[in-house]
Amino acid sequence: VTTRSPGQRAGLTREALLAGAGDLLREEGLESLTMRALGTRLGVTPKALYSHVAGKDALIDHLLDQTLIEVRQPPVDAKDPIDGLQTVMASTYRVLLTHPDLVPLYLARQGAHGPNAHRLGAIITVLLAEAGVQGHAQQEALRVLIGYTIGFAAFAVRPESGSEVDGQSSGSRPRANVMLLNFTAGLQWLLTGIVRDWSTPDRR
Amino acid sequence: VTTRSPGQRAGLTREALLAGAGDLLREEGLESLTMRALGTRLGVTPKALYSHVAGKDALIDHLLDQTLIEVRQPPVDAKDPIDGLQTVMASTYRVLLTHPDLVPLYLARQGAHGPNAHRLGAIITVLLAEAGVQGHAQQEALRVLIGYTIGFAAFAVRPESGSEVDGQSSGSRPRANVMLLNFTAGLQWLLTGIVRDWSTPDRR
DNA sequence: ACCTGAACACCGTTCAAGT
DNA sequence: ACCTGAACACCGTTCAAGT
């Protein structure tokens, strides 16, 4: 299906690459996300992709970061910073579950590293500061929250065969909701502990 | 270096394969863990490996499970089940950090699935039961604990470039210890919450 | 049962070249 | 700057065959 000679533009953009990669991931799974497959899907030679992206790793990095756009911002008139943290982390958890195949990649790369990830980290940091968690403890709290969220998401992705758990989970009807409630409970415990043990009451 | 004709035994065992794979992983990293590389390291054609292991995925599954042997068992005369849980999970965390390259694989495969993983899961389950956490809540607590432990381990592996955190962490001297303390703190909060909110006082 | 050589069907990526 | 054809250096895995 190659009706184009060298020099003719195919009209590719980085956005088109990311959209195609996202579709490929959603429809065919992680194993099928291949530079060659992405090329044929876009009607283009694999090499053409390298004009818009440094390589496969860079493409995935962009994909991971772009996904975080969907994370819901807490309202600016935040009354309670703890509520804000609960909102942001729960939204992050939900977004991660929407893209199950990406979850292991976030962990393999230790999170995303683009502008959206940075923005999200900044929001969490501000909320922690408002809750009186600063400096050293602030960075550690950030790691605890992110590690818990991504780790839990990774184990929530597939219903059965969940590590060493026996397969017989009690039905599977409201499973996603049950997992979300479990996640929220643990998150609340962590937030309570962080504020209780790591906050410095001086500033603010 | 092929001084062996078809039919001559090379003396391979599954244990030798796993040991070689572990060495390869430790010395060269995950990217270099290849059936071909493992073959040449053992002085054997790649195909010879398939006589002892179903394929690369199966080999990695065995590797993941075997690593869990190192997790320390809590003393049988356990006084406080919460102490026991703290011990087991912290030991698991430490073992995971000893094998950083494996951590993303645990998450990608949602934990290990072999006999050692099963044994570890059973130990945790018993401790939870002794703490009064049973049935439905027991499975959920198990997931919370495992998700937190592996997730935190994944973020503890590399010092800098930790997701959206700015690179300037306060020095790097006792970093592993600091992370372990952070992990332990969060673990304690989770255990406290699990027992407080999910234990049923009736049985035991 | 255990290992071999040769080969298949894939990968990501590079190079030189076209417009 | 953007895309092409051809090719390089890898993968995991299979097949038929040896002892």
Side-chain angles (χ1 to χ4, degrees):
Chain A
V1 217
T2 306
T3 33
R4 195 166 38 241
S5 60
Q8 297 190 19
R9 308 297 167 89
L12 290 187
T13 58
R14 175 174 289 182
E15 287 71 32
L17 289 204
L18 291 178
D23 294 344
L24 208 49
L25 198 67
R26 216 168 298 116
E27 297 168 11
E28 315 253 6
L30 183 60
E31 308 247 297
S32 301
L33 179 51
T34 270
M35 296 301 269
R36 300 172 115 93
L38 181 56
T40 59
R41 166 178 263 267
L42 298 175
V44 134
T45 277
K47 170 55 190 162
L49 307 175
Y50 289 81
S51 298
H52 299 89
V53 112
K56 190 183 183 183
D57 281 344
L59 184 140
I60 288 182
D61 280 338
H62 286 124
L63 201 58
L64 292 181
D65 189 68
Q66 197 199 12
T67 301
L68 295 180
I69 304 186
E70 306 170 19
V71 174
R72 201 173 70 189
Q73 307 255 8
V76 261
D77 59 335
K79 317 161 190 179
D80 185 7
I82 303 299
D83 284 354
L85 286 168
Q86 186 96 24
T87 300
V88 173
M89 301 315 294
S91 176
T92 302
Y93 172 80
R94 259 188 242 104
V95 168
L96 290 177
L97 285 201
T98 312
H99 309 272
D101 286 312
L102 292 182
V103 175
L105 296 179
Y106 278 105
L107 276 150
R109 290 150 194 263
Q110 314 236 358
H113 302 277
N116 293 301
H118 190 272
R119 175 185 61 86
L120 182 55
I123 290 174
I124 299 174
T125 299
V126 169
L127 289 170
L128 284 171
E130 290 181 1
V133 181
Q134 291 141 356
H136 200 67
Q138 191 179 71
Q139 299 179 21
E140 294 159 6
L142 184 58
R143 270 191 292 263
V144 168
L145 291 176
I146 296 175
Y148 172 74
T149 301
I150 305 191
F152 200 93
F155 273 82
V157 166
R158 281 192 210 158
E160 60 279 278
S161 84
S163 116
E164 35 273 10
V165 191
D166 296 327
Q168 47 162 354
S169 68
S170 54
S172 63
R173 281 170 278 185
R175 150 148 189 107
N177 285 332
V178 169
M179 293 303 293
L180 178 59
L181 289 177
N182 295 163
F183 169 79
T184 307
L187 177 59
Q188 191 62 53
W189 300 332
L190 288 177
L191 288 173
T192 301
I194 287 172
V195 172
R196 178 175 10 94
D197 298 350
W198 284 354
S199 69
T200 53
D202 37 46
R203 197 196 290 184
R204 187 194 190 252
Chain B
V1 218
T2 306
T3 34
R4 194 166 40 241
S5 60
Q8 297 188 19
R9 307 295 167 91
L12 290 185
T13 59
R14 175 176 288 184
E15 286 72 31
L17 289 204
L18 291 178
D23 294 344
L24 208 51
L25 198 66
R26 217 169 296 115
E27 298 169 10
E28 315 254 7
L30 183 61
E31 307 247 299
S32 300
L33 179 50
T34 268
M35 297 301 269
R36 299 172 114 95
L38 182 56
T40 60
R41 167 177 261 267
L42 298 176
V44 131
T45 277
K47 169 56 190 163
L49 307 174
Y50 289 81
S51 298
H52 298 90
V53 110
K56 191 184 183 184
D57 281 344
L59 184 139
I60 288 183
D61 280 338
H62 286 124
L63 201 59
L64 292 181
D65 190 66
Q66 196 199 11
T67 301
L68 295 181
I69 304 186
E70 306 169 21
V71 175
R72 201 172 71 189
Q73 306 255 7
V76 260
D77 60 333
K79 316 162 190 179
D80 186 6
I82 303 299
D83 283 355
L85 286 167
Q86 186 97 24
T87 301
V88 173
M89 300 317 294
S91 176
T92 302
Y93 173 80
R94 260 188 240 101
V95 168
L96 290 177
L97 285 200
T98 313
H99 309 273
D101 286 313
L102 291 182
V103 175
L105 295 179
Y106 279 106
L107 276 149
R109 291 150 194 264
Q110 314 236 356
H113 301 277
N116 294 301
H118 190 272
R119 176 186 59 87
L120 181 56
I123 290 175
I124 299 174
T125 299
V126 168
L127 289 171
L128 283 171
E130 290 181 1
V133 181
Q134 292 141 353
H136 201 67
Q138 191 178 72
Q139 299 181 21
E140 294 159 5
L142 183 59
R143 270 192 291 263
V144 168
L145 291 175
I146 296 175
Y148 172 74
T149 301
I150 306 191
F152 201 92
F155 273 83
V157 165
R158 281 191 208 158
E160 60 280 279
S161 85
S163 114
E164 35 272 11
V165 191
D166 296 328
Q168 47 163 353
S169 68
S170 54
S172 61
R173 283 170 276 186
R175 149 144 190 111
N177 286 332
V178 169
M179 292 303 293
L180 177 59
L181 290 177
N182 295 163
F183 169 79
T184 307
L187 178 59
Q188 192 62 52
W189 300 331
L190 288 177
L191 288 173
T192 301
I194 287 172
V195 172
R196 176 171 17 91
D197 297 350
W198 285 354
S199 69
T200 52
D202 37 48
R203 198 196 290 183
R204 188 192 190 254

